[in-house]
Amino acid sequence: MVELAARKHVQFILSKAKEKNSYESVLMEHIRMNGHTGCQHDSGGFGGNIGHDPHILYTLSAVQVLALFNKVDVLDVEKVANYVAGLQNEDGSFSGDMWGEVDTRFSYIAICCLALLHHLDKINVEKAVDYILSCKNHDGGFGCTPGGESHAGQIFCCVGALAITGSLHRIDKDLLGWWLCERQVKSGGLNGRPEKLPDVCYSWWVLSSLIMIDRVHWIDKEKLVKFILDCQDIENGGISDRPDDACDAYHTYFGVAGLSLLEYPGVKPIDPAYALPVDVVNRIILGIKA
Amino acid sequence: MDEEANAGGLLSQFEQILESDPAIDEIGFVHPSQFVNLNEQARHSVPSSSGSVCNVLCSAEGNTMFWNRDHKLGISTEVLIPLYREAKHALMAANRTGIESEIMNHSRAALLISSDFGTAWHSRKIVLLKKHKLSTFLEELIFSVLVLSYAPKCEHAWSHRRWVIKSIAGKCSTLQEIVTKESELVEKIAERSKMNYRAWYHRCWLVSYMTTEQSLHELKRSRKWAGLHVADHSCFHYRRQLMLSILEDRCCKQENVSSSYSVKINQLWKEELDWDEMLIKRYIGREALWLHRRFLSLFWIKHFLTGHTGLPSHWKHKTSMNNDFGIFVDHELNLLQSCSIIPDNNFDDYQAQATYSATYMLWLIKQIPDSSGFEFREKLRTENLKALLNKACSEMSSTWDSLVAYAETSDHYAKES
Ligand SMILES: [Zn+2]
């Protein structure tokens, strides 16, 4: 089997960070978090960039990045937590911003963010959990809102939120595990929905969910490792969605994160619910100093 | 010419094109090299009856920047970055001054270049709320179709439409008509943007705004499309949402609902099962069709064959129910039988068919309530299914081991209790 070309991937990511004038990076500037202080609004929420409106998505990104570098204390924690908590609706769901679109992704983001800030007390956790459970489908999976089609990304968010709030006992793990393990295709890769092609980024969403519900032994882990390694560009670094496709930073991150969950030798362990290194989560949530 | 002045001209040129042709219904980004082909095609095609002309706008250097013909607008990929920057700055300035027409114009220009620019969508919402006019809300539905023409998966555009519909619901007499049109739009977009989760999510969202008659009509109407796109799982999920809403409606109204309505729903379910079986036999090895069958069978058993029907006096006919259940089980076993034959040629599809039929059975064993599942388990030994799975798809043997073990454990529990 080919090995992980770790050094090449680091170079690949660093080179991507320097491309500031490409078509993608200009038009995607709303998701490029440059200076954090400039992106924070009076409301306490973060926008994707200077001049962009706040959204719960960028607020979690900001908190995660600061958590990673042990710099959460530069924030007005109270203010950020109030912004996030203010997005909870009467039925327990969360809106992404003041315009009201509801999605279980926002439930995860809110819960993850508030857990990292030690402020879960600011929301009605019970109602938040009940809302997530109301988005469960007959196939065991979860969608964006009640009745929404099951999707690996949404499932990760729902399972992650339930894991953080200690509510995993409220779902049928076997039924969900069934849907998740049927995402593995013959090549060993995982897809995100029925009839879709396998994709490295879905390896992460499906795999982390399987780990959280303790059903990861239902898939063939070795074949998945091989699939991810086959998606590497050994010469120039980077990981792509499928073997022989073009590499990007997004799939490189999720590829390495997937290998970490698969306990690939030499990769730092990552927490499946917070999507942060285990030592960072231990430091913040459990107060354990490394 | 300095860059700033050039870019400034760009935005006003772009906005002028949009103003002069309000019927533009499609936008695309075109690489400079492709304009040559486009012009070539335009020259050779016969002018249409509407007498359409091709409008081309070039830069000072003679490079094509905008290309408009038959209300299809091509924008050169070379001008995207300066145009976006200019539109964004103009929009920010307009937001500060609060001049509504400028906000609408510049946000439109910006969103036709970068559909994910959330702040621009928000600026429009603020103006709409201030104006508070039904016609301006409805114009947003037309504008966001244009965005979807080049970015069919754009979450902002879909969510903007939902926001508009929520805002006008209750104030608009043509809501049912709008819902129908939305549904048609999704189908049109799904045709060229395959497996578009965002588009289908939008269609499922519409179900809550539909009357039962509308849901029944949608179910009928979307059948043909589904039959032609059997790999698009989202379409089948949409049908399930329609069926559930129809079923739920019956459950809510059960006291004063006529029994003929119940018979009608029973029939509808039966027809869907037959139709699904027909597709399964025609299109070999399609996962979406088998997953649809899991749902249909589960609810068929739950609502029509066992005691959870909500039908008054259902329990009086228990014997006949049991009989119906036996017929159902035998039918599904026959289907399994016919789908588990793997001929030597055409390997992959038939292997997939056998695999899906076996996991379907395993799933049913697991999902059927213990009291009625007994008959199933008697007739179907899990070891046979395991053998079939390993024959059809040995690559996934570890998964089959887990699933069969899981089905067997519950089997064991059922026998003990
Ligand atoms: Zn991907």
mmCIF file of all heavy atoms in Angstrom, chain A residues 42-63:
data_model
loop_
_atom_site.group_PDB
_atom_site.id
_atom_site.type_symbol
_atom_site.label_atom_id
_atom_site.label_comp_id
_atom_site.label_asym_id
_atom_site.label_seq_id
_atom_site.Cartn_x
_atom_site.Cartn_y
_atom_site.Cartn_z
ATOM 1 N N ASP A 42 -21.037 44.070 15.977
ATOM 2 C CA ASP A 42 -21.550 44.530 17.266
ATOM 3 C C ASP A 42 -22.453 43.480 17.907
ATOM 4 O O ASP A 42 -22.560 43.392 19.122
ATOM 5 C CB ASP A 42 -22.356 45.830 17.082
ATOM 6 C CG ASP A 42 -21.448 46.958 16.604
ATOM 7 O OD1 ASP A 42 -20.220 46.830 16.798
ATOM 8 O OD2 ASP A 42 -21.968 47.938 16.036
ATOM 9 N N SER A 43 -23.116 42.699 17.056
ATOM 10 C CA SER A 43 -24.030 41.672 17.565
ATOM 11 C C SER A 43 -23.291 40.582 18.334
ATOM 12 O O SER A 43 -23.883 39.836 19.087
ATOM 13 C CB SER A 43 -24.767 41.032 16.397
ATOM 14 O OG SER A 43 -23.834 40.400 15.535
ATOM 15 N N GLY A 44 -21.968 40.481 18.099
ATOM 16 C CA GLY A 44 -21.192 39.415 18.728
ATOM 17 C C GLY A 44 -20.876 38.297 17.759
ATOM 18 O O GLY A 44 -20.029 37.457 18.013
ATOM 19 N N GLY A 45 -21.571 38.282 16.612
ATOM 20 C CA GLY A 45 -21.330 37.239 15.618
ATOM 21 C C GLY A 45 -20.197 37.620 14.679
ATOM 22 O O GLY A 45 -19.760 38.774 14.647
ATOM 23 N N PHE A 46 -19.713 36.646 13.913
ATOM 24 C CA PHE A 46 -18.628 36.874 12.976
ATOM 25 C C PHE A 46 -19.115 36.784 11.539
ATOM 26 O O PHE A 46 -19.948 35.940 11.212
ATOM 27 C CB PHE A 46 -17.516 35.844 13.174
ATOM 28 C CG PHE A 46 -16.653 36.136 14.361
ATOM 29 C CD1 PHE A 46 -17.078 35.800 15.641
ATOM 30 C CD2 PHE A 46 -15.432 36.765 14.195
ATOM 31 C CE1 PHE A 46 -16.278 36.077 16.740
ATOM 32 C CE2 PHE A 46 -14.634 37.055 15.297
ATOM 33 C CZ PHE A 46 -15.052 36.705 16.565
ATOM 34 N N GLY A 47 -18.573 37.666 10.681
ATOM 35 C CA GLY A 47 -18.791 37.541 9.251
ATOM 36 C C GLY A 47 -17.616 36.800 8.652
ATOM 37 O O GLY A 47 -16.590 36.616 9.309
ATOM 38 N N GLY A 48 -17.760 36.377 7.381
ATOM 39 C CA GLY A 48 -16.692 35.610 6.744
ATOM 40 C C GLY A 48 -15.487 36.473 6.441
ATOM 41 O O GLY A 48 -14.381 35.985 6.304
ATOM 42 N N ASN A 49 -15.698 37.772 6.316
ATOM 43 C CA ASN A 49 -14.605 38.653 5.979
ATOM 44 C C ASN A 49 -15.044 40.066 6.326
ATOM 45 O O ASN A 49 -16.205 40.291 6.630
ATOM 46 C CB ASN A 49 -14.298 38.544 4.478
ATOM 47 C CG ASN A 49 -12.841 38.844 4.189
ATOM 48 O OD1 ASN A 49 -12.278 39.759 4.767
ATOM 49 N ND2 ASN A 49 -12.245 38.071 3.320
ATOM 50 N N ILE A 50 -14.114 41.011 6.241
ATOM 51 C CA ILE A 50 -14.497 42.388 6.557
ATOM 52 C C ILE A 50 -15.565 42.845 5.556
ATOM 53 O O ILE A 50 -15.451 42.598 4.363
ATOM 54 C CB ILE A 50 -13.258 43.304 6.497
ATOM 55 C CG1 ILE A 50 -12.288 42.881 7.609
ATOM 56 C CG2 ILE A 50 -13.647 44.764 6.648
ATOM 57 C CD1 ILE A 50 -10.899 43.414 7.480
ATOM 58 N N GLY A 51 -16.631 43.455 6.053
ATOM 59 C CA GLY A 51 -17.698 43.915 5.169
ATOM 60 C C GLY A 51 -18.761 42.871 4.893
ATOM 61 O O GLY A 51 -19.671 43.104 4.128
ATOM 62 N N HIS A 52 -18.652 41.694 5.498
ATOM 63 C CA HIS A 52 -19.670 40.658 5.298
ATOM 64 C C HIS A 52 -20.489 40.470 6.572
ATOM 65 O O HIS A 52 -19.959 40.548 7.672
ATOM 66 C CB HIS A 52 -19.018 39.337 4.879
ATOM 67 C CG HIS A 52 -18.458 39.373 3.497
ATOM 68 N ND1 HIS A 52 -19.154 38.913 2.414
ATOM 69 C CD2 HIS A 52 -17.283 39.849 3.027
ATOM 70 C CE1 HIS A 52 -18.419 39.095 1.317
ATOM 71 N NE2 HIS A 52 -17.273 39.660 1.661
ATOM 72 N N ASP A 53 -21.795 40.189 6.376
ATOM 73 C CA ASP A 53 -22.707 40.064 7.507
ATOM 74 C C ASP A 53 -22.366 38.862 8.389
ATOM 75 O O ASP A 53 -21.819 37.871 7.902
ATOM 76 C CB ASP A 53 -24.149 39.912 6.999
ATOM 77 C CG ASP A 53 -24.676 41.225 6.442
ATOM 78 O OD1 ASP A 53 -24.005 42.256 6.649
ATOM 79 O OD2 ASP A 53 -25.741 41.210 5.811
ATOM 80 N N PRO A 54 -22.711 38.946 9.678
ATOM 81 C CA PRO A 54 -22.402 37.821 10.569
ATOM 82 C C PRO A 54 -23.279 36.611 10.279
ATOM 83 O O PRO A 54 -24.415 36.748 9.828
ATOM 84 C CB PRO A 54 -22.709 38.384 11.958
ATOM 85 C CG PRO A 54 -23.726 39.443 11.731
ATOM 86 C CD PRO A 54 -23.401 40.036 10.398
ATOM 87 N N HIS A 55 -22.745 35.454 10.519
ATOM 88 C CA HIS A 55 -23.476 34.202 10.351
ATOM 89 C C HIS A 55 -22.887 33.220 11.348
ATOM 90 O O HIS A 55 -21.702 33.271 11.663
ATOM 91 C CB HIS A 55 -23.332 33.689 8.912
ATOM 92 C CG HIS A 55 -24.290 32.585 8.570
ATOM 93 N ND1 HIS A 55 -24.094 31.287 8.981
ATOM 94 C CD2 HIS A 55 -25.462 32.603 7.885
ATOM 95 C CE1 HIS A 55 -25.107 30.548 8.540
ATOM 96 N NE2 HIS A 55 -25.954 31.318 7.877
ATOM 97 N N ILE A 56 -23.728 32.308 11.822
ATOM 98 C CA ILE A 56 -23.294 31.358 12.837
ATOM 99 C C ILE A 56 -22.130 30.491 12.339
ATOM 100 O O ILE A 56 -21.243 30.110 13.107
ATOM 101 C CB ILE A 56 -24.505 30.508 13.295
ATOM 102 C CG1 ILE A 56 -24.208 29.798 14.623
ATOM 103 C CG2 ILE A 56 -24.917 29.521 12.231
ATOM 104 C CD1 ILE A 56 -25.442 29.177 15.255
ATOM 105 N N LEU A 57 -22.092 30.229 11.008
ATOM 106 C CA LEU A 57 -21.017 29.425 10.412
ATOM 107 C C LEU A 57 -19.640 30.002 10.698
ATOM 108 O O LEU A 57 -18.740 29.301 11.144
ATOM 109 C CB LEU A 57 -21.204 29.419 8.898
ATOM 110 C CG LEU A 57 -21.911 28.246 8.241
ATOM 111 C CD1 LEU A 57 -22.281 28.622 6.817
ATOM 112 C CD2 LEU A 57 -21.008 27.024 8.230
ATOM 113 N N TYR A 58 -19.501 31.304 10.415
ATOM 114 C CA TYR A 58 -18.192 31.940 10.578
ATOM 115 C C TYR A 58 -17.873 32.130 12.050
ATOM 116 O O TYR A 58 -16.715 32.197 12.433
ATOM 117 C CB TYR A 58 -18.159 33.276 9.845
ATOM 118 C CG TYR A 58 -18.710 33.171 8.450
ATOM 119 C CD1 TYR A 58 -19.813 33.904 8.044
ATOM 120 C CD2 TYR A 58 -18.141 32.267 7.549
ATOM 121 C CE1 TYR A 58 -20.336 33.769 6.770
ATOM 122 C CE2 TYR A 58 -18.653 32.120 6.278
ATOM 123 C CZ TYR A 58 -19.759 32.868 5.889
ATOM 124 O OH TYR A 58 -20.272 32.726 4.635
ATOM 125 N N THR A 59 -18.933 32.213 12.851
ATOM 126 C CA THR A 59 -18.711 32.376 14.278
ATOM 127 C C THR A 59 -18.057 31.119 14.848
ATOM 128 O O THR A 59 -17.103 31.193 15.615
ATOM 129 C CB THR A 59 -20.045 32.691 14.983
ATOM 130 O OG1 THR A 59 -20.648 33.806 14.314
ATOM 131 C CG2 THR A 59 -19.829 33.023 16.443
ATOM 132 N N LEU A 60 -18.527 29.942 14.418
ATOM 133 C CA LEU A 60 -17.879 28.709 14.882
ATOM 134 C C LEU A 60 -16.447 28.633 14.355
ATOM 135 O O LEU A 60 -15.539 28.288 15.106
ATOM 136 C CB LEU A 60 -18.663 27.460 14.455
ATOM 137 C CG LEU A 60 -17.971 26.128 14.813
ATOM 138 C CD1 LEU A 60 -17.865 25.950 16.331
ATOM 139 C CD2 LEU A 60 -18.674 24.919 14.212
ATOM 140 N N SER A 61 -16.258 28.970 13.070
ATOM 141 C CA SER A 61 -14.897 28.927 12.521
ATOM 142 C C SER A 61 -13.952 29.769 13.367
ATOM 143 O O SER A 61 -12.846 29.337 13.687
ATOM 144 C CB SER A 61 -14.878 29.457 11.089
ATOM 145 O OG SER A 61 -15.690 28.673 10.276
ATOM 146 N N ALA A 62 -14.399 30.965 13.720
ATOM 147 C CA ALA A 62 -13.554 31.856 14.513
ATOM 148 C C ALA A 62 -13.216 31.221 15.860
ATOM 149 O O ALA A 62 -12.056 31.200 16.279
ATOM 150 C CB ALA A 62 -14.267 33.189 14.720
ATOM 151 N N VAL A 63 -14.237 30.667 16.523
ATOM 152 C CA VAL A 63 -14.016 30.061 17.837
ATOM 153 C C VAL A 63 -13.086 28.852 17.709
ATOM 154 O O VAL A 63 -12.172 28.662 18.522
ATOM 155 C CB VAL A 63 -15.367 29.665 18.483
ATOM 156 C CG1 VAL A 63 -15.146 28.852 19.754
ATOM 157 C CG2 VAL A 63 -16.188 30.911 18.795
#
